[in-house]
Amino acid sequence: MNIPESCIKAFPAYEDVFADDLENCKKHLLPICSINLQCVFPEQDEWLHIVSVKEIYEGCVGEDTQEYHTTYTKEDMLGFDVSNGKYTFEADWNYFLLNQQEQKEAEYAQLKAAEDKQYLRLKRELGQLSELAQAYIQNENDYNSRKQFYELTKGIYPFSSIGDTFDSVDGLIADIEKKRTDGWGFSYPEINGILDDVAFQSDETRDFMEKYDVSIEEMRKFENTNLIHRPLKENGEVFTYIGSLTGYLFQAYGAGSVHLFYDQELKKAVICFEYT
């Protein structure tokens, strides 16, 4: 199935997705797709956005920064306040481990100068941060190459990088031409060639529900999934599910599924990463 082209925008500009603090947004986040809620709720002319993060590499995003967690920003879950179709990250930017690099470098220098052996612990942590910084670069370069590929061809590059960064759109074009020559099969996301599902309406989701006799009410609970956290209202209900896509089709290291949830009353959008 497809949704109206007027209701979907691939690789939107940072300025069209985030309301403020663009410097930190560009440092840590990757805007993948914008969705107008009219494709699901005709009376709601409002834009929401599926975003990913550059920190995806090893382990869960935010797993080592629990002191900066909030109700809707935890391991592999990010919360955003929504105003006029744009996002504001709800948590402290130190939720992202790399954001603490300068602070840790300064602390390391002080401890080493004081001959405090604790500097050895920080030395190990800084080594890990250096590796993470490289993953940031890989994710950003791969994302930018895929964005340029989409702008040139009006379709995504439908294969995972498996951690091998494509540093230029030329590399993607050459690779896909080689795959065509070698007889590879091409499979694109079901909805507009970008999304895997919108509001449980994709053919694949409908077939799954019919095959396993799963009701829409059961699907909305997101209980039988690999999600670490689900965005819950005070009454225990899960936020309204908007849609999902395959994260690793948009960056070097990506989640199997990136889910978007929304609560209109709270004006809160939540992104959840799922791995299978």
Side-chain angles (χ1 to χ4, degrees):
M1 64 166 288
N2 283 330
I3 59 177
E5 290 294 332
S6 59
C7 289
I8 186 169
K9 300 175 183 176
F11 297 102
Y14 280 89
E15 293 78 6
D16 294 334
V17 174
F18 302 106
D20 53 20
D21 208 348
L22 288 177
E23 181 178 353
N24 275 316
C25 291
K26 291 179 179 180
K27 179 178 179 180
H28 298 288
L29 305 173
L30 297 169
I32 296 178
C33 179
S34 299
I35 306 170
N36 192 294
L37 291 181
Q38 283 187 317
C39 69
V40 182
F41 310 106
E43 72 283 1
Q44 291 183 233
D45 184 8
E46 183 174 10
W47 286 95
L48 295 179
H49 317 280
I50 297 180
V51 304
S52 187
V53 299
K54 299 178 185 179
E55 189 171 301
I56 294 178
Y57 178 54
E58 291 182 348
C60 302
V61 177
E63 67 179 352
D64 295 320
T65 55
Q66 286 88 350
E67 64 269 35
Y68 298 105
H69 287 189
T70 68
T71 302
Y72 298 113
T73 299
K74 303 177 182 179
E75 294 91 349
D76 282 342
M77 182 167 82
L78 291 82
F80 297 92
D81 296 315
V82 183
S83 178
N84 297 320
K86 293 186 178 182
Y87 285 2
T88 297
F89 183 51
E90 68 161 21
D92 190 295
W93 288 105
N94 281 326
Y95 164 82
F96 296 102
L97 197 60
L98 197 65
N99 209 64
Q100 302 177 30
Q101 186 171 22
E102 289 185 10
Q103 175 188 337
K104 288 182 180 293
E105 287 174 344
E107 186 179 353
Y108 167 79
Q110 290 175 352
L111 290 173
K112 188 175 182 181
E115 298 184 350
D116 187 328
K117 290 185 178 180
Q118 287 296 318
Y119 87 89
L120 294 173
R121 172 183 57 82
L122 278 175
K123 184 178 182 180
R124 289 192 298 271
E125 291 182 8
L126 287 171
Q128 294 170 345
L129 286 178
S130 178
E131 187 175 345
L132 182 60
Q134 289 302 309
Y136 262 63
I137 293 171
Q138 287 180 288
N139 277 322
E140 180 176 2
N141 288 346
D142 198 72
Y143 167 87
N144 285 331
S145 296
R146 289 170 181 272
K147 179 178 180 178
Q148 293 172 35
F149 183 90
Y150 182 85
E151 291 169 347
L152 285 172
T153 68
K154 304 307 177 185
I156 69 168
Y157 173 80
F159 299 97
S160 165
S161 302
I162 318 179
D164 294 327
T165 308
F166 284 101
D167 292 322
S168 72
V169 67
D170 293 337
L172 282 175
I173 292 174
D175 184 74
I176 206 164
E177 289 301 325
K178 183 177 186 304
K179 283 179 167 58
R180 285 198 181 99
T181 302
D182 293 344
W184 283 52
F186 285 60
S187 178
Y188 291 85
E190 180 179 330
I191 299 178
N192 298 72
I194 300 168
L195 299 168
D196 295 328
D197 182 58
V198 170
F200 307 114
Q201 295 179 9
S202 68
D203 293 340
E204 183 176 353
T205 301
R206 290 292 183 180
D207 290 344
F208 170 85
M209 293 169 64
E210 181 177 352
K211 180 178 180 180
Y212 295 103
D213 193 24
V214 181
S215 68
I216 190 70
E217 289 76 20
E218 290 176 289
M219 294 291 290
R220 287 171 178 158
K221 294 178 181 178
F222 277 84
E223 291 180 336
N224 298 313
T225 68
N226 290 319
L227 293 177
I228 298 176
H229 299 288
R230 298 171 298 153
L232 302 176
K233 305 177 186 180
E234 288 188 358
N235 63 6
E237 293 181 358
V238 178
F239 279 22
T240 300
Y241 163 69
I242 304 302
S244 62
L245 52 73
T246 301
Y248 56 72
L249 294 181
F250 298 89
Q251 62 190 96
Y253 305 99
S257 293
V258 184
H259 301 280
L260 170 62
F261 299 87
Y262 183 55
D263 185 88
Q264 188 177 29
E265 183 177 349
L266 294 176
K267 291 294 182 181
K268 183 80 68 176
V270 176
I271 297 291
C272 291
F273 302 116
E274 182 179 20
Y275 301 86
T276 54

